[in-house]
Amino acid sequence: MHWADVVADKLLESGTEHVISSGITPSGPIHLGSMREILTADAIVRAVNDKGGNAKLIYVADNADPLRKVYPFLDEKKFKEYVGRPLAEIPAPDGNGSYDQYFLKPFFKSLENVGVIPEVVDNYQFYKDGKYNDCTKTIIDNREKARNILEKISGRQLPKNWFPWTFKDENGKLCNGKFLRYEWPNVYFENEEGKEIVNNLEKGEGKLPWRLDWPSKWKILGVTFEAFGKDHATKGGSFDTGKRIVKDILESKVPHHIVYEWINLKGKGAMHSSTGLAISADEMLQMAPPEVIRWLIMQPQPNRHVDFDPGLGLLNSVDRYDRIENEYYDNNLEENSSRAFELSQIKEIPNKKAQTIPYRHLVTLSQSKESADEIEKTLMRTGDISELNKTEKDKLESRVKCIEGWISNHAPESVKFEIQEKPPSINFSKEDLKRIEELKEQMGNINWSPEKIHDSFYELQEKYNTPAKEYFRIMYLTILGKERGPRLGFFLATIEQKFVVERLNSY
RNA sequence: GGGCCUGUAGCUCAGCUAGGUAGAGCGUCCGGCUUUUAACCGGACGGCCAAGGGUUCGAAUCCCUUCAGGCCCGCCA
């Protein structure tokens, strides 16, 4: 059984209503690794709903968290003063709006593109609106118990006058002040300068520290399931302490969970926004079809790491996905693969197989044609497809866009080419010139189909006792200005016969 | 030091939740398609399921131990 269904079954044992939670701190571009978290959660939501339950997906934007440091992608001068302040209160890097929204907006757009539409929780606003009041109060009332749990389970020592609140200084920065006294809803502390500051706990002046904030969210939102990264899952980590806090102090339920592994960039290691070694969700969508992105997450077990190769490997991933799609409709898949395919669909599962064009072929066409429209016409002319319906058209269009993005940012040189508008000036040898004459005649007189074109080179090989390779080389040189290129039969068939003959005639 | 995960064919992995004759794709080799680029079709080769022990009529699957690899582990998230 697919992992999402295994979890769904377990969840449904305790009821039909479920809240699946996911979240991230929007401190930088939100990357593909973070997308795994929410796609994993989304899979569970779909699985529960498919089995007749009623699950909703909640996305918590942890924008009450402070900016930890000036990240490499930030302007040092401008952002130095904001370190320590809640992300929701900092201006965006481009000056428009707030910092958190600057990163969240494109991420939500990306999520929409992969078919995920969560209910968004603005954590900062939650604090402001007093949503945390009850939990905060309960924790404060039981702060010795809380301290006990944290110290015992995490094995760290808390200061003598520990108070379960991250204070907010008068300059707006979150800080570790010295706790003085407390009287709901106010807490008084001494800041570094020795000044007494008051925070109103009901108004979001400061926040709960993460290890208390997380279990509080479970209770406030009624979370029944959460997928989280293995950094939280370590012994004595925030999940371990969170479990006890929510059970013993908040008297609420511990959510079910799974731990997911990181996504590595092939040959480079785990993605981290802080090191800059990351592909943002946005960027990802500009080079890979959304259903393939989903499939990369749905196919493997969540606890296995995924190696993502934005180079040639991406083509393999798309090919594999397309093959799975075909086999799905041929009813030829094992249960897990079949389910992974279903969970990879952006919208509902189409009940008919769509016409698919081999992705590698599209990579060629995208570089020789101006638009998706032209590509479609060409494919119809070469007999690769019959007329496309609306869905197929959209798919073609979006895939062409992905390929264009991929070609310009990630593709290796070996697959790139450009049709030369003017005949490249090349010093052909005498023999080459003779072959060009032979080609002129051949190209002008054959049926312009991929197979015929392909065969014709071998006819020349027979006729003139010259390796077909030589003819290939010449064709690439005259049209692309380089010695290699895409499979010639298919490629030439996609451009005008007239153009090819004229090109040869100019030598 | 503590913890989690992983170890199955040359490579990438499925199978383990529920024990019942070891699977797929890719690669390799052979054959076919009048044959370039990571093309297509058919077939073959290929595994003491990391090692050892236990439970069982029966273990890749459950339990214990060992080894190897990856990652996580102040605060913050």
Side-chain angles (χ1 to χ4, degrees):
Chain A
M1 208 192 294
H2 191 271
W3 50 264
D5 292 319
V6 173
V7 173
D9 280 347
K10 200 173 278 169
L11 290 178
L12 288 168
E13 278 170 20
S14 52
T16 53
E17 303 301 304
H18 288 281
V19 176
I20 317 296
S21 162
S22 174
I24 196 81
T25 304
S27 58
I30 300 171
H31 58 76
L32 181 62
S34 323
M35 206 172 220
R36 182 172 206 175
E37 170 163 324
I38 190 153
L39 282 176
T40 303
D42 185 61
I44 308 295
V45 170
R46 290 195 189 186
V48 169
N49 290 338
D50 286 350
K51 288 172 188 286
N54 181 27
K56 68 171 177 177
L57 181 62
I58 286 188
Y59 189 85
V60 182
D62 283 319
N63 53 354
D65 296 333
L67 182 70
R68 284 176 59 199
K69 60 175 186 179
V70 181
Y71 294 104
F73 50 84
L74 296 175
D75 182 348
E76 169 85 31
K77 265 194 211 134
K78 194 173 158 201
F79 279 91
K80 224 166 117 187
E81 60 167 309
Y82 295 119
V83 172
R85 293 195 54 181
L87 297 171
E89 295 181 355
I90 301 176
D94 68 356
N96 295 318
S98 62
Y99 188 100
D100 57 335
Q101 295 305 319
Y102 177 83
F103 292 111
L104 286 169
K105 268 192 210 143
F107 184 61
F108 291 141
K109 187 91 193 72
S110 303
L111 285 182
E112 208 182 310
N113 285 328
V114 292
V116 179
I117 299 174
E119 189 176 297
V120 177
V121 167
D122 183 324
N123 206 39
Y124 179 75
Q125 201 56 43
F126 253 46
Y127 274 103
K128 288 232 134 173
D129 293 346
K131 294 264 179 21
Y132 278 91
N133 288 357
D134 288 348
C135 287
T136 305
K137 200 155 189 296
T138 309
I139 291 171
I140 291 174
D141 290 346
N142 294 279
R143 58 187 185 270
E144 279 317 303
K145 204 167 164 188
R147 167 210 287 280
N148 230 307
I149 291 172
L150 292 179
E151 289 194 330
K152 206 169 141 213
I153 295 182
S154 77
R156 72 188 161 122
Q157 274 271 293
L158 294 171
K160 254 201 288 236
N161 62 345
W162 177 74
F163 189 80
W165 190 254
T166 303
F167 303 117
K168 192 176 191 186
D169 211 337
E170 57 184 347
N171 58 10
K173 295 190 180 192
L174 296 167
C175 65
N176 293 312
K178 202 169 127 200
F179 168 66
L180 297 173
R181 63 191 185 280
Y182 149 78
E183 191 185 330
W184 185 265
N186 293 321
V187 61
Y188 300 82
F189 71 96
E190 189 183 305
N191 73 4
E192 272 197 340
E193 284 85 48
K195 197 169 166 193
E196 182 177 314
I197 311 283
V198 56
N199 281 170
N200 184 329
L201 297 161
E202 286 183 325
K203 298 253 165 73
E205 293 170 6
K207 70 185 284 286
L208 289 167
W210 166 249
R211 282 177 187 255
L212 303 172
D213 172 291
W214 198 20
S216 300
K217 276 175 200 157
W218 296 339
K219 177 169 186 179
I220 295 165
L221 299 167
V223 175
T224 56
F225 176 89
E226 183 152 349
F228 50 88
K230 61 181 180 178
D231 48 342
H232 294 305
T234 199
K235 181 163 175 157
S238 50
F239 186 69
D240 273 359
T241 51
K243 273 193 285 201
R244 290 289 303 280
I245 298 282
V246 78
K247 248 194 309 196
D248 299 354
I249 295 179
L250 300 175
E251 295 177 331
S252 186
K253 279 188 185 155
V254 179
H256 290 274
H257 72 284
I258 46 182
V259 176
Y260 63 87
E261 256 285 358
W262 305 143
I263 295 184
N264 294 330
L265 267 185
K266 199 189 173 193
K268 292 191 176 153
M271 288 200 203
H272 295 292
S273 10
S274 53
T275 56
L277 183 68
I279 290 182
S280 74
D282 204 19
E283 223 179 316
M284 185 69 192
L285 275 159
Q286 284 167 28
M287 72 162 123
E291 64 276 13
V292 175
I293 296 175
R294 283 190 74 102
W295 184 75
L296 288 173
I297 309 296
M298 299 305 165
Q299 171 59 32
Q301 300 289 331
N303 63 7
R304 312 204 51 136
H305 80 257
V306 170
D307 277 314
F308 177 70
D309 173 10
L312 272 184
L314 179 61
L315 294 187
N316 286 339
S317 299
V318 180
D319 278 351
R320 228 170 300 147
Y321 173 85
D322 284 346
R323 196 172 314 144
I324 293 279
E325 173 167 356
N326 277 321
E327 289 177 5
Y328 177 81
Y329 289 103
D330 294 344
N331 235 333
N332 210 7
L333 286 178
E334 301 203 337
E335 190 199 348
N336 272 343
S337 302
S338 159
R339 189 64 175 137
F341 172 79
E342 292 175 355
L343 291 169
S344 302
Q345 300 314 299
I346 308 302
K347 296 187 183 138
E348 65 280 4
I349 305 156
N351 47 18
K352 256 208 218 138
K353 178 157 52 172
Q355 297 188 66
T356 48
I357 300 122
Y359 203 66
R360 283 163 206 271
H361 196 185
L362 265 189
V363 169
T364 301
L365 283 164
S366 302
Q367 294 180 81
S368 59
K369 298 292 164 191
E370 290 299 320
S371 66
D373 242 23
E374 250 186 79
I375 291 175
E376 188 186 343
K377 275 184 202 135
T378 306
L379 284 166
M380 282 175 63
R381 181 163 55 74
T382 51
D384 286 303
I385 55 170
S386 51
E387 191 150 356
L388 297 180
N389 62 33
K390 174 89 172 64
T391 324
E392 292 167 333
K393 253 190 187 136
D394 289 349
K395 187 172 169 189
L396 175 70
E397 210 164 296
S398 91
R399 286 196 158 197
V400 167
K401 238 184 229 150
C402 287
I403 289 170
E404 284 167 357
W406 180 71
I407 291 282
S408 46
N409 294 316
H410 301 278
E413 284 306 313
S414 62
V415 302
K416 294 193 205 174
F417 68 86
E418 203 177 330
I419 294 175
Q420 304 297 307
E421 281 181 34
K422 287 183 188 149
S425 52
I426 291 159
N427 285 323
F428 282 117
S429 68
K430 250 200 183 132
E431 276 134 3
D432 282 347
L433 288 169
K434 186 180 141 257
R435 286 167 193 147
I436 288 177
E437 291 307 314
E438 292 157 10
L439 277 166
K440 281 180 194 169
E441 206 202 331
Q442 186 81 346
M443 290 296 117
N445 291 318
I446 54 170
N447 238 331
W448 206 239
S449 75
E451 294 77 20
K452 282 280 176 305
I453 297 170
H454 186 80
D455 290 348
S456 71
F457 293 101
Y458 293 96
E459 284 164 19
L460 287 174
Q461 171 174 279
E462 296 292 309
K463 199 163 158 193
Y464 298 106
N465 198 23
T466 306
K469 251 188 189 142
E470 296 298 323
Y471 296 108
F472 287 131
R473 204 186 92 247
I474 288 167
M475 292 309 296
Y476 288 131
L477 280 170
T478 55
I479 292 169
L480 307 179
K482 54 192 250 186
E483 297 213 350
R484 295 179 153 258
R487 285 177 78 75
L488 207 41
F490 288 105
F491 172 55
L492 289 182
T494 64
I495 52 187
E496 298 283 323
Q497 184 168 21
K498 210 174 88 194
F499 174 88
V500 173
V501 174
E502 269 169 21
R503 176 55 53 93
L504 288 166
N505 278 332
S506 63
Y507 287 94

